[in-house]
Amino acid sequence: MAIVLIRQDGKTASWKNALKAKAPGVPIYNYQEDHPREQVTMAIVWKHPQGTLKAYPNLQCIASFGAGVDFIFEDPGLPGNLPITRVVDPVLASDMSEFVIAQVFSYLKHLKQYALDQEERIWRPKAYRRIADEVVGIMGMGALGTVLARDLTQLGFQVRGWATSKKTGLATPCYSGQEALGEFLTPVTILVCLLPLTEQTRGILNKPLFSQLPKGAFIINVARGGHLVDADLLEMLKTGQLSGAALDVFHDEPLPKDHPFWDLPEVHLTPHIASVSDQDSVVPQLLENYRRLQKGQALLNVVSRDKGY
Ligand code: GLV
């Protein structure tokens, strides 16, 4: 039994060292090195080249390095019937919450505009917004959304959630399904997308949805670029239906140099860094699943192939 790591972002060596440090006896390979493919039972992947998983005849589990698994389901060469796991981690959730809260306050207090003004030596006070003015709507009330909802509520924001399917036992009011989307959106001044990307949610941040928000609403997309219809956002910013957007994720990453988002002062652009898997926190759960696999026990954080998350 062995583990193969498949990612292309230059971080494989550091993940391999972190995993080895906690499990010195486990054979762990970078997919690019020479390795005995038939021994590999677990593949840990992040945006792996499509088709690479087919090279492992004895694979028993595919684990995502992160919270998202959309890129796994997008692989036409995905082996059938193997369990797929994702990261569910308190550090990932608190990092996400901190990032979104930073974007919310930057928006309320015009911090980006003042940074731009400073470059031009412009002294230009603007009326600011405050917590009491805002209703934050969170689309996606899973492991990340519920922590963000809790933290925003503690800060005094009015918070409401929306999920594709019904959620029970949440501390935050939560709407569910297409039929409740309009009611959810009506008072929302700041809309945060934390949905998993599936066939059902692809392109959900679109003109019909934006049109149901109060005029001047602000969008924060920290989920996947595929949720957003870029042209619809550009149009809604132009008409003033939306006052701005904080975008951390894009259809193509890195965002192509000629994309119109780069030039818009009302777009707050960050390079997919809202919440990044922390090795100290995530390595133990990846290894726990490897041990469970060895013992034939049920794995942690298995996603549903039917739902796609
Ligand atoms: C980051 O985008 C993740 O899915 O963990």
Side-chain angles (χ1 to χ4, degrees):
M1 293 187 99
I3 299 177
V4 67
L5 311 181
I6 314 182
R7 56 190 302 153
Q8 308 175 81
D9 58 359
K11 294 186 186 168
T12 313
S14 96
W15 275 100
K16 186 172 165 183
N17 291 340
L19 285 154
K20 279 262 175 218
K22 290 274 186 285
V26 175
I28 303 176
Y29 304 105
N30 175 347
Y31 82 109
Q32 281 166 322
E33 69 187 300
D34 239 355
H35 61 291
R37 291 176 199 274
E38 68 294 338
Q39 282 177 26
V40 169
T41 46
M42 180 178 190
I44 313 180
V45 298
W46 182 251
K47 299 190 180 169
H48 61 286
Q50 294 191 339
T52 36
L53 293 168
K54 285 197 290 205
Y56 299 93
N58 298 315
L59 205 56
Q60 293 173 18
C61 162
I62 301 162
S64 171
F65 271 107
V69 290
D70 45 295
F71 63 93
I72 296 177
F73 288 114
E74 281 164 17
D75 180 356
L78 177 65
N81 292 328
L82 300 182
I84 297 169
T85 65
R86 71 190 194 102
V87 167
V88 177
D89 173 43
V91 177
L92 204 65
S94 59
D95 284 358
M96 181 57 86
S97 177
E98 288 175 20
F99 180 84
V100 173
I101 288 168
Q103 289 291 14
V104 167
F105 281 111
S106 172
Y107 161 62
L108 297 185
K109 307 304 173 189
H110 307 296
L111 299 188
K112 178 171 180 199
Q113 189 56 53
Y114 294 131
L116 294 173
D117 286 354
Q118 182 179 351
E119 280 177 24
E120 307 291 327
R121 298 176 181 264
I122 297 174
W123 181 273
R124 180 167 36 193
K126 286 164 74 83
Y128 50 79
R129 301 173 69 96
R130 53 173 69 91
I131 292 173
D133 300 330
E134 309 304 327
V135 178
V136 184
I138 303 171
M139 299 181 77
M141 287 294 282
L144 304 179
T146 48
V147 170
L148 174 63
R150 180 202 65 195
D151 293 350
L152 286 166
T153 305
Q154 274 167 7
L155 286 166
F157 288 93
Q158 288 183 65
V159 184
R160 45 174 52 202
W162 181 84
T164 49
S165 57
K166 199 156 178 57
K167 302 260 173 197
T168 50
L170 297 183
T172 308
C174 186
Y175 299 75
S176 60
Q178 273 301 324
E179 60 288 356
L181 191 55
E183 192 188 343
F184 160 74
L185 293 169
T186 304
V188 167
T189 55
I190 300 174
L191 182 71
V192 183
C193 179
L194 271 171
L195 288 164
L197 182 64
T198 65
E199 279 325 301
Q200 212 184 343
T201 64
R202 189 177 295 280
I204 194 167
L205 299 177
N206 58 23
K207 188 170 161 180
L209 181 143
F210 296 144
S211 307
Q212 295 175 74
L213 294 166
K215 194 168 171 67
F218 188 79
I219 305 299
I220 301 178
N221 188 17
V222 278
R224 288 289 182 264
H227 289 115
L228 177 67
V229 180
D230 292 3
D232 288 5
L233 176 67
L234 290 167
E235 184 186 335
M236 296 284 98
L237 290 171
K238 215 170 181 171
T239 62
Q241 171 59 19
L242 297 178
S243 59
L247 306 177
D248 186 55
V249 287
F250 304 91
H251 285 269
D252 293 322
E253 296 181 2
L255 184 67
K257 294 263 189 251
D258 59 353
H259 197 289
F261 287 160
W262 286 109
D263 297 319
L264 295 176
E266 63 274 41
V267 172
H268 306 225
L269 209 148
T270 48
H272 201 148
I273 46 66
S275 180
V276 177
S277 287
D278 176 74
Q279 289 180 346
D280 290 340
S281 194
V282 167
V283 159
Q285 66 175 267
L286 293 172
L287 291 174
E288 172 61 22
N289 265 349
Y290 179 72
R291 285 187 202 104
R292 285 171 177 245
L293 207 58
Q294 276 181 312
K295 292 190 203 144
Q297 294 171 345
L299 303 182
L300 304 174
N301 306 322
V302 175
V303 302
S304 151
R305 280 193 179 237
D306 289 344
K307 288 198 204 159
Y309 66 94

